[in-house]
């Protein structure tokens, strides 16, 4: 039996020692496993590897903590150009709301400059 690909959503919390607020990253990570149990175990391992402490360029201690999985899904298609990885479903949504969800090119994440302020 061939291994399958899974998509894990890892919750990664950032805390700056001088700030009472938290920053959350949701990291979407590919996991290659024989079954759902192995994928779950590997996703947790990947998440635990995120745990760290470091000092940022301003000398402030940053603590990064893996907080768990938001979701874990099997990818049903082979990985290839144009493969569907995941989808979201919305019910009772109107055309205006759908139109607002579509962003112009310059607002797509891949074209935005990194915002280092978010990492504190």
């Amino acid at each position: 039996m061939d291994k399958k690909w899974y998509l894990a959503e890892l919750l990664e919390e950032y805390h700056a020692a001088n700030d009472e607020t938290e920053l959350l990253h949701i990291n979407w990570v590919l996991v290659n496993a024989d079954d759902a149990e192995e994928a779950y175990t590997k996703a947790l391992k990947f998440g635990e590897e995120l745990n760290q402490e470091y000092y940022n360029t301003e000398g402030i201690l940053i603590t990064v903590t893996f907080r768990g999985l938001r979701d874990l899904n099997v990818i049903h298609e082979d990985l290839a150009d144009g493969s569907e990885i995941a989808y979201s479903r919305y019910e009772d949504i109107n055309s205006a709301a759908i139109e607002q969800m579509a962003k112009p090119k310059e607002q797509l994440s891949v074209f935005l400059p990194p915002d280092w302020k978010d990492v504190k």
Side-chain angles (χ1 to χ4, degrees):
M1 181 166 110
D2 291 336
K3 287 187 177 240
K4 297 177 188 172
W5 287 100
Y6 295 81
L7 186 61
E9 297 176 37
L10 310 179
L11 300 174
E12 180 183 24
E13 177 184 18
Y14 285 77
H15 174 75
N18 67 337
D19 196 343
E20 292 185 29
T21 63
E22 309 297 330
L23 172 71
L24 178 68
H25 285 189
I26 300 172
N27 298 336
W28 299 60
V29 176
L30 287 172
V31 179
N32 193 229
D34 289 326
D35 57 39
E37 286 297 327
E38 182 186 4
Y40 177 76
T41 300
K42 287 178 78 172
L44 291 177
K45 180 180 176 277
F46 293 148
E48 292 296 330
E49 292 171 356
L50 298 172
N51 292 328
Q52 63 176 307
E53 288 187 340
Y54 64 91
Y55 289 91
N56 69 8
T57 56
E58 297 171 7
I60 298 167
L61 178 65
I62 305 296
T63 302
V64 182
T65 306
F66 171 60
R67 297 300 301 265
L69 298 177
R70 185 170 82 162
D71 207 353
L72 179 64
N73 286 291
V74 66
I75 297 172
H76 294 284
E77 294 186 33
D78 291 335
L79 294 181
D81 199 20
S83 295
E84 181 180 289
I85 300 299
Y87 73 93
S88 297
R89 178 179 167 161
Y90 298 85
E91 294 184 21
D92 297 324
I93 188 168
N94 62 39
S95 291
I98 295 170
E99 194 170 310
Q100 288 181 340
M101 292 174 88
K103 296 179 182 178
K105 177 182 175 181
E106 60 275 1
Q107 290 181 6
L108 297 174
S109 296
V110 72
F111 295 109
L112 295 175
D115 188 355
W116 299 111
K117 294 180 288 186
D118 285 344
V119 181
K120 297 182 173 125

